[in-house]
Amino acid sequence: MSIQAPRGTYDILPGQSEKWQEIEQKINELCRLYQYKEIRTPVFEHTELFQRGVGDTTDIVQKEMYTFQDRGNRSLTLRPEGTASVVRSFVENKLFGLPDQPVKLFYTGPMFRYERPQAGRMRQFVQFGVEAIGSKDPAIDAEVISLAMELYRSVGLKRLRLVINSLGDTESRLAHKEALVAHFAPRIDEFCSDCQTRLEKNPLRILDCKVDRDHPLMATAPSLADYLNEESQAYFDDVKMYLEELDIDYVVDPNLVRGLDYYNHTAFEIMSDAEGFGAITTLCGGGRYNGLVEDLGGPESPGIGFAMSIERLLLALEMEKVEIGKSQNLEVYVIAMDESAKKQAFSLLKDFRANGISADMDYTGRKLKAQMKSADRKGASYVIVIGETEMASGKAGLKEMATGEQQELLFSEMAETIKNRKTLEE
Ligand code: ATP
Ligand code: MG
């Protein structure tokens, strides 16, 4: 029996990989404009990092991690998300000591979660994320949100909805927590076992439960919005003011709590309103995590960030029928009629490539007609046929496929000629 890719993983083949490349280019360009610099961290980390950095009560830590014992008996985990690793690195490399704060970082790379695979939910998926660490200016919250929105816009998505909320500071959250416990405790036995644990450990996360979301107590639960203290309210108002300054539309959803334990103040999600999406419409999630750097052993350094998967971005493009990543057509296809012509053709390829012109030939000994067809399939702009006559004269016809026009040229003139034509076109 042949071996298949593991469940929840997949291959990105030519035809698709061009789309990925285009998105990666857009990410690099956008991060340059916003001045976020790339960070690359290991794909696996000590398990404890995620237990502390993502939070013991989250689905990720409780159910989704790929954790293994290495040969030295360490417990390691394939990273399920990026923030914990970035913050670990920020602390370990003392980036808090850099003169320019906040430190603005971005990453792209594979993440691993043991989930039930479906469209937009894979076991290995690629996240693009940014983290701005070392500032609690509400303007940076708006900047981070706008960067995410801008990426979606720049690839051509239109049906986007930004949802924001404030989780408040510690004081506000404590007051809200008490109210939540009072609300759910009397009837907690009607809830799933996860929610029963959450009631003690982190009652806010009950609101994020996918099992019990239709329980009547959910709709009447005390809203965080009513428990924000003055400072938290003012912070939230400033974030909204800066978003308005950037002309970014948003809706406030007081029930948006997000899955991770460490969030406070700003929380946001970007959803797709495109038709055809199944249950999963969230493209991007993010928020503020003041206190996380301290939890992981660093000095006070408030942070904010987001993460989005490229898989869901691609899904949104599909739903909105936006085409990206057209593959570049071949420029020159060289056809050799015999062995000595093949040597000439082979050296011509080198010439073209050295001049920045894409070039290809046949490597399977096909007849002229089959080679012509192949040139056609590859969308070659030019075809050159080299046979006995051409070898004798040192010249061959450079045929432009779009017009059918042919120009006789010395082999040595070909690359230069195409290069000149290309500059004329530009
Ligand atoms: P969900 O509620 O859909 O499980 P989440 O809260 O687990 O999302 P985050 O941990 O906030 O998601 O991750 C941020 C983003 O990463 C999501 O908005 C989504 O774009 C993407 N993402 C998360 N899990 C997966 C996955 N298994 N496959 C593909 N993309 C994913
Ligand atoms: Mg999830």
Side-chain angles (χ1 to χ4, degrees):
M1 205 183 81
S2 61
I3 299 173
Q4 296 182 332
R7 189 167 146 75
T9 71
Y10 63 102
D11 304 307
I12 302 167
L13 301 175
Q16 276 292 316
S17 53
E18 291 82 2
K19 297 187 203 288
W20 286 76
Q21 287 174 344
E22 186 170 329
I23 292 168
E24 283 155 12
Q25 271 171 17
K26 290 244 154 69
I27 288 173
N28 288 328
E29 173 59 8
L30 208 57
C31 288
R32 187 185 68 78
L33 292 175
Y34 282 73
Q35 283 294 290
Y36 286 70
K37 303 284 167 70
E38 188 178 17
I39 179 168
R40 301 188 188 198
T41 63
V43 163
F44 58 84
E45 297 270 2
H46 291 291
T47 303
E48 193 194 345
L49 174 68
F50 303 114
Q51 287 168 338
R52 280 168 51 191
V54 179
D56 265 334
T57 67
T58 58
D59 280 357
I60 292 181
V61 171
Q62 288 190 345
K63 301 176 191 163
E64 296 173 359
M65 293 207 300
Y66 279 92
T67 297
F68 61 97
Q69 214 73 14
D70 80 355
R71 289 171 194 274
N73 266 328
R74 299 170 193 90
S75 176
L76 299 173
T77 294
L78 298 183
R79 61 179 183 196
E81 56 102 57
T83 305
S85 303
V86 171
V87 170
R88 183 216 23 87
S89 176
F90 178 88
V91 173
E92 185 171 343
N93 295 291
K94 303 194 170 57
L95 302 187
F96 47 80
L98 292 176
D100 285 312
Q101 301 286 324
V103 177
K104 305 205 291 186
L105 302 166
F106 82 94
Y107 59 84
T108 42
M111 305 294 161
F112 307 85
R113 297 186 193 178
Y114 193 80
E115 308 216 53
R116 275 243 314 276
Q118 51 184 293
R121 200 180 288 291
M122 308 302 295
R123 290 186 173 170
Q124 174 174 336
F125 58 100
V126 175
Q127 272 186 345
F128 158 55
V130 315
E131 315 290 350
I133 313 177
S135 165
K136 51 175 189 237
D137 185 334
I140 199 94
D141 299 38
E143 175 178 283
V144 162
I145 294 172
S146 76
L147 200 168
M149 290 296 283
E150 202 46 46
L151 179 68
Y152 292 126
R153 282 206 204 115
S154 75
V155 294
L157 292 175
K158 299 206 165 65
R159 314 276 324 258
L160 300 167
R161 181 162 37 99
L162 169 65
V163 183
I164 59 170
N165 188 24
S166 171
L167 305 181
D169 60 8
T170 316
E171 188 187 87
S172 314
R173 289 183 64 158
L174 274 177
H176 180 237
K177 189 174 164 180
E178 274 175 30
L180 282 174
V181 173
H183 180 75
F184 286 113
R187 290 173 65 185
I188 195 65
D189 49 336
E190 295 165 28
F191 285 72
C192 73
S193 62
D194 282 342
C195 279
Q196 298 183 8
T197 323
R198 286 171 189 142
L199 184 70
E200 274 168 43
K201 287 197 171 161
N202 190 352
L204 186 64
R205 297 218 51 250
I206 297 178
L207 301 179
D208 203 22
C209 181
K210 282 161 189 145
V211 180
D212 292 316
R213 68 172 134 214
D214 296 324
H215 192 287
L217 280 191
M218 288 294 205
T220 55
S223 167
L224 242 169
D226 300 327
Y227 291 83
L228 292 185
N229 58 18
E230 218 172 295
E231 226 184 307
S232 301
Q233 189 59 55
Y235 192 92
F236 193 32
D237 290 342
D238 280 348
V239 173
K240 291 186 281 190
M241 182 263 294
Y242 282 117
L243 285 175
E244 282 153 27
E245 198 56 42
L246 295 173
D247 287 323
I248 296 178
D249 292 336
Y250 59 82
V251 281
V252 176
D253 176 359
N255 290 324
L256 176 74
V257 294
R258 309 266 318 121
L260 307 188
D261 278 357
Y262 50 62
Y263 284 118
N264 44 50
H265 287 292
T266 314
F268 69 96
E269 284 189 353
I270 300 169
M271 333 278 281
S272 170
D273 284 335
E275 273 150 48
F277 255 101
I280 306 171
T281 57
T282 305
L283 301 179
C284 173
R288 181 160 273 289
Y289 46 81
N290 302 349
L292 180 62
V293 175
E294 291 96 307
D295 282 353
L296 293 176
E300 190 189 333
S301 318
I304 177 156
F306 68 71
M308 63 170 73
S309 71
I310 308 301
E311 284 80 358
R312 289 199 195 165
L313 194 167
L314 287 167
L315 211 57
L317 287 170
E318 213 179 294
M319 296 305 154
E320 290 199 29
K321 302 194 171 52
V322 180
E323 295 259 351
I324 63 160
K326 296 229 171 58
S327 69
Q328 295 274 325
N329 281 346
L330 172 65
E331 290 171 287
V332 191
Y333 192 86
V334 187
I335 296 175
M337 304 292 286
D338 58 38
E339 272 308 302
S340 78
K342 185 175 167 191
K343 265 167 83 178
Q344 178 61 54
F346 202 58
S347 98
L348 260 182
L349 291 189
K350 176 183 148 215
D351 243 26
F352 287 133
R353 293 164 179 168
N355 281 282
I357 299 161
S358 62
D360 209 354
M361 63 187 273
D362 172 74
Y363 295 101
T364 54
R366 280 177 289 192
K367 297 266 185 314
L368 173 66
K369 212 170 141 194
Q371 291 196 44
M372 281 305 277
K373 273 195 184 148
S374 177
D376 219 38
R377 274 195 303 271
K378 290 168 186 273
S381 308
Y382 297 98
V383 172
I384 299 164
V385 181
I386 308 174
E388 262 174 52
T389 333
E390 286 78 13
M391 287 306 288
S393 66
K395 283 183 173 180
L398 177 69
K399 183 170 177 186
E400 187 169 1
M401 299 307 277
T403 58
E405 274 168 34
Q406 186 150 312
Q407 189 183 1
E408 282 287 300
L409 290 168
L410 289 169
F411 292 133
S412 57
E413 296 171 327
M414 292 202 158
E416 201 55 34
T417 307
I418 295 182
K419 226 168 107 177
N420 288 340
R421 289 200 198 170
K422 273 172 71 174
T423 18
L424 275 181
E425 278 166 24
E426 274 163 17

